[in-house]
Amino acid sequence: MNRVQPRTLSGFMELLPDQQLRFDRMVEILRETYSLFGFLPMDTPLMEASEVLLAKGGGETEKQIYRFTRGETDLSLRFDLTVPLAKYVAMHHGSLNFPFRRYQIGKVYRGERPQRGRFREFYQADIDIIGNESLSVHNDAEIPAIIYTALQKMGLNNFLIRVNNRKILTGFYETLQLTEKSQEIMRIVDKLEKIGHVQVGTLLEEQGVDVELVEEIIKFLGMSGTNQDVLDKLEEYRNVNATFDQGLDELKSMIQCLGAFGVDEKNFKVDLTIARGLDYYTGTVYETILTDHPEVGSICSGGRYDNLAGYYTSKQLPGVGISIGLTRLFYILESQDYLRTKITPLELLVLPMVDDLQLSANVASKFREAGISTQLYVEDKKFKQKMAYADKLEAMYCVILGEDEVKNNCVTLKHMNSGEQQVLPLEEAVAYVSEKLKKFGRFTPYRG
Amino acid sequence: MNRVQPRTLSGFMELLPDQQLRFDRMVEILRETYSLFGFLPMDTPLMEASEVLLAKGGGETEKQIYRFTRGETDLSLRFDLTVPLAKYVAMHHGSLNFPFRRYQIGKVYRGERPQRGRFREFYQADIDIIGNESLSVHNDAEIPAIIYTALQKMGLNNFLIRVNNRKILTGFYETLQLTEKSQEIMRIVDKLEKIGHVQVGTLLEEQGVDVELVEEIIKFLGMSGTNQDVLDKLEEYRNVNATFDQGLDELKSMIQCLGAFGVDEKNFKVDLTIARGLDYYTGTVYETILTDHPEVGSICSGGRYDNLAGYYTSKQLPGVGISIGLTRLFYILESQDYLRTKITPLELLVLPMVDDLQLSANVASKFREAGISTQLYVEDKKFKQKMAYADKLEAMYCVILGEDEVKNNCVTLKHMNSGEQQVLPLEEAVAYVSEKLKKFGRFTPYRG
């Protein structure tokens, strides 16, 4: 037979079962959290007509898109979950309730040259709140609370959600009469953490910004202290520019609410250097870094936008949202050994040592009826091989069914980690394992 | 602005939120059931190198494949979950424990001409048990038990899992010296239910099968009665052909176990007309029909195969599996109003009637901490509009926070369906809703 060497495309994730369990657990935490905050699930096709998907057009992403023709149809694979959301809301506008809160967790495609931490197929997990004509700025305060809750549930503590408001920046640069250069300035300022104040100053001067204004900008961006300190210092700039004042009001209102939403101050910081792209976001912007690993950059970003779907509909659809690059986050968590200890691939393995399969099937069914994840091993192997399988599978418990057990209407229950063994009537064994699992916490796949 | 008409490609499913909740619930039931039976999750790329995906080559599906070139790479979208499984097991053979039990729920692509009930992008939900060199036939008995459990949990009762064994057919046709024609005969016999015995007889004669043999075949296929009746009648054919005898032993062993696995006899039937394709399956074969709607055909099919991945590896990998066409099943269930009554999109909506957002945020957080899915409504609208939103959203409870409530440190809790209202201290309201939800059962998204 002519054989083909099996392989997986470069830049495409394919996990072994133990990794997959951890990945799925991460996804499950996100689903649970998003549902808890009243978001509805959405699932859109991976493929769209190119004319529809690229309606917004242009941009850096366009070169990376998987685009091809089938029959006479020009097709593209989605490269984010925002364009499909815009399409969905524009199409189904009459059937949705606004504010419309949806989450979507799905694969997206970008034909980048694969490199460390970059994928061609990767998961994004998005939440957005979309208003019809208007959307209260109070929604902006809830988004960091959701991310805070989700990351905490994943076992992460050392993260920092950094927040800013584009109106503050726009107003500030207007005041300095730098509106025309403001986009370029924000792009440079975005590098502050990487290259430092001196370098930023040099780059700004190269853009033709006067030295005094460079000083002003550096001083402005350099504001530090607690969130309250920064807000106090920003107050000193009030009453010069209306856009600035509006941005400051929005930022203050958000900071005030975070405590009420249960967000710890240590995980949340006003950072005036954050700008997030150049034209899409119009108010609040978010970034999230791992404080122990700032070098990996933002794991979760987003913000407020004025109009979601102008290229599809004349309806004004303001919104606020955030997106987690899930595949990348997973590899970071894996490399840090997060998520690692908590998942039991299998709670119980039934090992029959007698030929009567009916009896073993009945035993397995009883455990399953109690909600215990149970595998029945029916291969004709030696005892040693059966136990080796139980070990490799990392089953939490084994039930051994030998002739003695059958005769006495009992099972031998073995806790694999400790090696402890006991002989119990079936019903007692089921009750015992149920009780133990309840105490241990249920970390088997998809059980919360 | 130049606008593009938003649309979704024909043959691609896109659901509204209430449908999506039901779809997700169906997926969740499958995940829970598969985990309960000790299957591990798998997730493979949607795209593979064409050379790898089409290694098996040929066949009806090849024309339907989405295949395109990017750079110098010839790519294809997966058209089922079996080829990716074969690739995965061949590639990761050394890292897997055999028997390897995996489930995969994912989208597959076939560029068919869309018609009623046919999709170009659709979900399949597969389970397979793969052995290394060998796999006990006892595993074949467990597969219907899993499907039985899953369909029951979806609220389906009127279904019939039909089972046969290809060895019985092969042996029988060998006995009649019709081996050469057996594939053609099975294809004709497969139509029995649709066209009836007379028509099948005519078609068989057209294939050059002697009239007496046609009689023999019709008599054989016509066996009816309970499963035990059919097994008894099959015993009369024993000791003529070794393949037949082996098939009969396998079928008997399976039937004997089903009771022990908790499968009701009324949902399970031996049916000698089932053959499932022509060369892939080698032993047990399954089909599942909805007894009230046999016209939709099999919703869930599979069987035993001798070698999963011969085109990738020299390792012999026998297996048994079954696949549910999930997108199609969903539309059938929807049209029959299954799944419809059980899902609450939102458990609680907080409606502040005062400006103090901190207070409402705190109230929402308290409900969420108790695991109650809660949305906070922060738009600046009139009372009537706020209540209309709660109605449209189908929230189960509303919490109204007016000045009186704030003054008295209470909340007004309204049960939306009955209209019943009560004023309670916050902690009591949280405890009350928790208790009610516990009794009602938690059918919110992804909570089991």
Side-chain angles (χ1 to χ4, degrees), chain B residues 359-373:
Chain B
L359 187 74
S360 343
N362 183 49
V363 168
S365 296
K366 286 283 180 282
F367 281 97
R368 286 166 181 157
E369 281 163 21
I372 297 158
S373 80

Side-chain angles (χ1 to χ4, degrees), chain A residues 23 26 30 34 104 110 116-119 122-127 143-144 146-162 193-194 267 274 276 281 286-303 321-336 338-339:
Chain A
F23 187 88
M26 189 177 75
L30 289 173
Y34 296 161
Q104 181 165 12
R110 294 189 196 170
R116 206 179 73 87
R118 291 280 172 189
F119 292 89
F122 56 99
Y123 277 94
Q124 286 193 336
D126 281 25
I127 46 171
I143 300 282
I146 300 164
I147 296 305
Y148 174 84
T149 307
L151 295 181
Q152 290 264 333
K153 284 193 192 173
M154 284 178 198
L156 270 171
N157 290 300
N158 299 333
F159 61 88
L160 186 65
I161 303 172
R162 301 198 281 197
E193 200 167 53
K194 276 189 199 145
N267 295 108
I274 305 293
R276 296 306 310 158
Y281 295 115
Y286 319 98
E287 277 188 14
T288 313
I289 54 154
L290 301 174
T291 38
D292 299 334
H293 300 279
E295 74 281 2
V296 300
S298 178
I299 55 161
C300 175
S301 317
I322 203 162
S323 176
I324 302 179
L326 216 53
T327 302
R328 205 164 131 264
L329 177 60
F330 177 72
Y331 280 102
I332 296 166
L333 295 180
E334 283 285 282
S335 71
Q336 306 303 321
Y338 285 105
L339 299 165

Side-chain angles (χ1 to χ4, degrees), chain A residues 207-220:
Chain A
Q207 288 298 317
V209 181
D210 286 351
V211 180
E212 313 89 79
L213 296 185
V214 170
E215 285 299 320
E216 276 287 330
I217 294 170
I218 301 276
K219 182 189 154 203
F220 181 80

Side-chain angles (χ1 to χ4, degrees), chain B residues 47 61 64 66 83 97 104 126-127 138 192 215 221 229 237 241 262 307 378 382 397 413 429:
Chain B
M47 211 186 284
T61 14
Q64 303 174 354
Y66 284 93
V83 177
N97 302 313
Q104 182 166 12
D126 281 24
I127 45 172
H138 291 325
L192 189 62
E215 284 300 318
L221 298 172
D229 291 344
Y237 291 80
N241 178 289
N307 199 9
V378 291
K382 298 219 167 66
Y397 287 95
L413 181 69

Side-chain angles (χ1 to χ4, degrees), chain A residues 15 43 99 123 142 368 389, chain B residues 43 88 99 123 142 368 389:
Chain A
L15 302 173
D43 182 18
Y123 277 94
E142 207 176 8
R368 286 167 182 159
Y389 183 70
Chain B
D43 182 18
Y88 185 97
Y123 277 93
E142 207 176 10
R368 286 166 181 157
Y389 182 71

